């Protein structure tokens, strides 16, 4: 549905080189540390910046040479970028006004969108009287008004507080399911990416490192960078290979009578170095013969306690 | 507490040398005249046809000048805010030249370029006259304020977030719609500010009208001067100055409403601008041609003034004017008689008065700006900005009435010139101090630094450019002043602007040219300091990004 083919763009910090395909109706997150080229990817797709080589194809149409206005894309900026001199309704209806939609139809459509975004009756409000979450929803409504084939969201929740962010995340998923629209979503938050996406594209230094479903990304990371970026982990040598262990895959038990029987292949003696209370459990950092280990456990151990660490599964890193 | 002492001192200064003198004009006007007669006379002045004419002219020429200056500045503001091109910094700096010139030098420039025997007529072989009439007045005002409009509008244009345009484009917007529906509304506050500022400058214009207006045109400011010194009608002067105050405060109030209503939050990144070569061919040709005409418009008159000062009637190189001015006994007329002073006297007096006024302005403005850091005192600050809307002829006149018997004229001039420079210098310093913020000062205080140590170790080093910039303006504005020196100096004080004014009046344009050039050369050094510091002050500091 949307294909980036051998996209190239040179920047002072790095060279962008990207192949990416998103299916119709998919919600794809672009995840990566700051400066990895996430926002740049969106800006290239939207046409705000031109590419050096490659093709951008949307719904079978090559849009590489088209200006932003010709690409039928909705774009939501990181800090909303609502027009400060227009009311909420004028902002939402802006794209329709450009398309000379007749006023009565435009009003109906704007009301409909405000209803959809859970902002009924907000039309006459001034933009600067809105809260961050409200602005964000207006910005999304403005982008949706022109029925874009693709919605690009650039870190849309980065300036919104934690609780509201969760609601808005759900909102995006609901919208995307309801409207069946294709969404490309930039974030630097792994929780955000893992929780709402159909697939996640992990970028690093302008390159695609892994493109997979959240579960696969978490369980079968392509390399140590991806593994570390999408969750807590320890790296353990095992039979000549490298294992990635998530903290929940490691369980702890005290050393005592009968402990020797537990000492199987996938276990090691470990000493508690430090701990963090996370609410649902403690996160322990342990020292062992295999190196440093991370584990969750709901029981409380003191630093210095000697324990047995046992792991159940673990994912193997491909040897490079 | 020392802060309240400072505030009280400033209020006392304003009261003694600003408010009391203004009141003094009314008292003096009514002295020895029965109240009924005063009212009768005042009513007579208010309803006189001349009053309507003066008010109409003052407002009309100001509106027209401001509108033309703003409209003419738009293409250049766009060019400056969107593209980089070779020589941009130099052009941007040079564009400020007219704005820092005293009105009387602007007069000399306009006569050299647009006058009957000016350069333009001799190039075109025509015989039009663009000075000493309405067109000449508007032209001079546009010349004077054009670069101010470019600066205000281009700064705002550059600060408009580029993503507003991107958001509009992604929704299908085309260039014309983008300009009309997005850019223009976002730019409106800056356009209104530029218009109002230029309107007020032209509304209060004195020197240009004094020379070009003749008997047909006078602004209220010139009418006040004429009533006082020519017609000796103090009641008429008081009526005019009341009218002027009411109108200018009214305009300022209206405008500040409009500006506040239109104010928007625009967070624009200061990014590197693309070179002009990336613009479309048509755009590039239009902008380049427009810029060339604008540079000729701004620099033509100034350069012509220089050229004419250095040539004789036949167009050959000649330093005759300078010789007659500077070499004692070389003049073919009584220069000292015309100026009522010697040339060295003019020079040292101008410098001494400017340095005294400038230092007074700077010290008070700096002390206030530092002590007001992080505080909001809107009432007090409006009070401090009051002189902007006031007639300097009236204030100077009042200073003479109230303090003339006890204070020597040169000191009166310094006391009065304070109000010319203070509002602007205070605003420059206040902005700079507030941008520095509170954190660094508080950190130093917590580490045990005394007030003086904070000033010495934190504020002065970090605010060096702002302070320098402020001091340069504090010196430049009194140096260029004609009004206060003429009106408060009782004709006894001759500074550069007064001397040039007298030379023009006595048909010694050749000597006026030479003296104007000497003045401009002295200013040039000062101007370079102002511009170098103000350009740098606008650049974002890397460490604060």
């Amino acid at each position: 549905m949307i294909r980036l083919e051998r996209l190239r763009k040179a920047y002072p910090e790095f060279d962008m080189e990207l192949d990416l395909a998103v299916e119709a109706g998919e919600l794809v997150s672009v995840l990566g540390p700051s400066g990895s080229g996430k926002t740049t990817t969106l800006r290239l797709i939207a046409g705000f910046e031109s590419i050096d080589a490659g093709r951008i194809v949307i719904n079978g149409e090559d849009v590489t040479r088209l200006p932003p206005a010709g690409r039928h894309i909705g774009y939501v900026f990181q800090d909303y970028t609502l027009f400060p001199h227009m009311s909420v309704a004028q902002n939402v209806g802006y794209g329709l006004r450009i398309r000379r939609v007749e006023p009565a139809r435009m009003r109906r459509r704007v009301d409909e969108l405000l209803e959809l975004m859970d902002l009924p009756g907000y039309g006459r409000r001034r933009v600067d009287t809105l809260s961050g979450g409200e602005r964000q929803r207006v910005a999304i409504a403005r982008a949706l008004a022109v029925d874009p084939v693709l919605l690009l969201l650039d870190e849309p929740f980065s300036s919104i507080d934690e609780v509201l962010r969760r609601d808005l995340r759900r909102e995006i998923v609901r919208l995307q399911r309801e409207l069946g629209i294709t969404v490309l979503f930039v974030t630097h938050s792994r929780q955000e990416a893992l929780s709402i996406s159909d697939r996640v594209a992990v970028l690093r230094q302008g390159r695609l490192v892994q493109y997979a479903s959240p579960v696969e990304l978490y369980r079968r990371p392509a390399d140590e960078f991806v593994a570390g970026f999408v969750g807590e982990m320890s790296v353990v040598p095992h039979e000549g290979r490298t294992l990635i262990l998530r903290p929940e895959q490691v369980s702890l038990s005290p050393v005592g009578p009968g402990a020797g029987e537990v000492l199987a292949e996938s276990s090691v003696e470990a000493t508690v170095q430090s701990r963090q209370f996370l609410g649902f459990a403690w996160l322990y950092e342990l020292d062992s013969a295999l190196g440093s280990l991370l584990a969750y456990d709901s029981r409380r151990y003191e630093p210095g306690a000697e324990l047995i660490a046992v792991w159940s599964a673990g994912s193997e890193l491909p040897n490079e | 507490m020392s802060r309240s002492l400072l505030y009280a001192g400033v209020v006392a200064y304003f009261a003694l040398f600003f408010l009391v003198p203004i009141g003094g004009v009314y008292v003096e006007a009514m002295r020895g005249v029965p109240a009924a007669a005063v009212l009768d006379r005042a009513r007579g002045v208010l309803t006189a046809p001349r009053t309507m004419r003066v008010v109409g002219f003052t407002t009309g020429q100001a509106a027209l000048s401001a509108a033309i200056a703003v409209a003419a500045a738009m293409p250049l503001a766009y060019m400056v805010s969107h593209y980089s091109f070779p020589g941009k910094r130099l052009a941007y700096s040079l564009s400020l030249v007219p704005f820092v010139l005293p009105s009387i030098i602007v007069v000399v420039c306009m006569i050299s370029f647009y006058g009957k025997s000016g350069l333009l007529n001799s190039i075109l072989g025509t015989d039009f006259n663009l000075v000493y009439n309405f067109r000449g007045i508007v032209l001079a005002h546009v010349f004077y304020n054009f670069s101010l409009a470019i600066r205000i509008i281009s700064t705002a244009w550059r600060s408009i977030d580029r993503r507003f345009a991107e958001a509009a484009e992604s929704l299908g917007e085309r260039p014309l719609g983008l300009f009309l529906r997005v850019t223009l509304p976002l730019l409106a506050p800056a356009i209104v500010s530029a218009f109002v500022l230029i309107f007020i400058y032209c509304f209060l214009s004195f020197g240009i009208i004094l020379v070009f207006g003749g008997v047909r045109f006078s602004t209220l400011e010139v009418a006040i001067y004429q009533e006082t010194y020519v017609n000796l009608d103090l009641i008429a002067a008081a009526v005019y100055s009341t009218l002027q105050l009411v109108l200018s405060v009214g305009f300022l109030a209206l405008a500040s409403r409009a500006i506040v209503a239109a104010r928007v939050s625009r967070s624009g990144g200061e990014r590197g601008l693309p070179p002009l070569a990336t613009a479309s061919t048509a755009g590039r040709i239009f902008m380049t041609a427009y810029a060339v005409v604008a540079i000729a418009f701004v620099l033509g008159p100034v350069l012509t003034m220089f050229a004419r000062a250095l040539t004789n009637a036949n167009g050959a190189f000649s330093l005759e004017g300078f010789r007659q001015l500077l070499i004692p006994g070389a003049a073919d007329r009584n220069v000292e008689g015309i100026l009522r002073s010697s040339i060295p006297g003019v020079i040292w007096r101008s410098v001494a008065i400017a340095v005294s006024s400038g230092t007074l302005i700077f010290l008070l403005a700096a002390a206030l700006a530092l002590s007001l850091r992080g505080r909001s005192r809107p009432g007090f600050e409006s009070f401090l900005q009051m002189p902007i809307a006031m007639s300097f002829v009236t204030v100077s006149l009042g200073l003479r009435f109230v303090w003339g018997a006890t204070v020597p004229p040169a000191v009166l001039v310094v006391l009065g010139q304070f109000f010319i420079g203070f509002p602007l210098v205070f605003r420059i310093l206040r902005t700079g101090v507030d941008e520095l913020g509170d954190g660094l000062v508080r950190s130093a205080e917590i580490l045990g630094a005394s007030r003086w140590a904070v000033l010495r170790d934190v504020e002065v080093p970090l605010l060096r450019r702002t302070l320098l910039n402020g001091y340069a303006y504090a010196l430049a504005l009194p140096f260029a002043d004609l009004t206060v020196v003429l009106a408060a100096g009782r004709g006894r004080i001759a500074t550069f602007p007064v001397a040039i004014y007298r030379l023009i009046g006595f048909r010694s344009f050749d000597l006026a040219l030479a003296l104007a050039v000497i003045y401009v050369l002295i200013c040039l050094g000062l101007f370079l300091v102002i511009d170098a510091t103000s350009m740098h002050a606008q650049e974002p500091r890397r460490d604060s990004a």
Side-chain angles (χ1 to χ4, degrees), chain B residues 183-206:
Chain B
T183 312
L184 209 53
L186 289 174
L187 218 45
I191 293 175
V192 172
S193 304
F195 180 87
V196 169
L197 210 54
I198 296 171
F199 178 89
I200 287 289
Y201 283 144
C202 299
F203 187 79
L204 300 174
S205 181
F206 180 72

Side-chain angles (χ1 to χ4, degrees), chain B residues 256-315:
Chain B
S256 69
R257 268 228 192 117
I259 293 167
V260 169
R263 184 167 295 158
V264 294
S265 61
R266 291 156 301 172
S267 64
E270 275 284 328
R271 301 153 297 114
L273 297 173
L276 185 60
T278 58
S280 69
T281 313
R284 209 162 59 232
I285 292 171
F286 172 74
M287 283 189 277
T288 310
Y290 198 91
V292 168
V293 172
I295 289 170
F297 174 71
V298 167
L299 289 187
V302 180
L303 294 177
T304 310
M305 177 183 81
F306 274 89
R308 294 205 40 193
L310 297 171
T311 48
N312 60 19
N314 304 323

Side-chain angles (χ1 to χ4, degrees), chain B residues 327-375:
Chain B
I327 297 174
D332 55 13
R333 66 215 107 164
N334 180 4
V335 176
E336 292 204 5
I338 295 172
L339 301 184
R340 291 180 240 169
S341 166
S342 67
I343 293 292
V346 167
I347 297 176
W348 87 257
R349 203 177 296 111
S350 297
V351 172
I353 288 179
V355 168
S356 309
S357 302
T359 308
L360 179 67
I361 291 167
F362 177 76
L363 289 179
L364 265 183
L368 270 179
L370 287 172
S371 76
L372 278 169
R373 179 207 353 260
R375 289 157 208 275

Side-chain angles (χ1 to χ4, degrees), chain A residues 43 48 68-69 73 75 77 79 81-86 94-95 97-99 142 146, chain B residues 163-164 166-174 177-178 181-182 185-186 261 264-265 267:
Chain A
R43 294 179 60 82
F48 298 149
I73 283 173
Y75 198 106
F77 290 84
D79 41 13
T81 323
L82 296 178
F83 300 118
H85 58 294
M86 298 180 191
Y94 180 80
R97 201 169 126 214
I98 293 168
R99 287 167 177 70
R142 181 177 70 181
V146 295
Chain B
R163 284 169 311 167
F164 285 131
E166 289 174 351
E169 280 165 20
S170 75
L171 291 165
E173 187 65 282
R174 307 281 167 181
L178 181 67
R181 284 188 282 240
V182 177
L186 289 174
V264 294
S265 61
S267 64

Side-chain angles (χ1 to χ4, degrees), chain B residues 481-497:
Chain B
D481 164 56
L482 174 67
T483 320
V484 177
V485 183
L486 266 188
R490 283 189 261 178
R492 288 201 222 147
I493 311 275
T495 55
F496 269 106

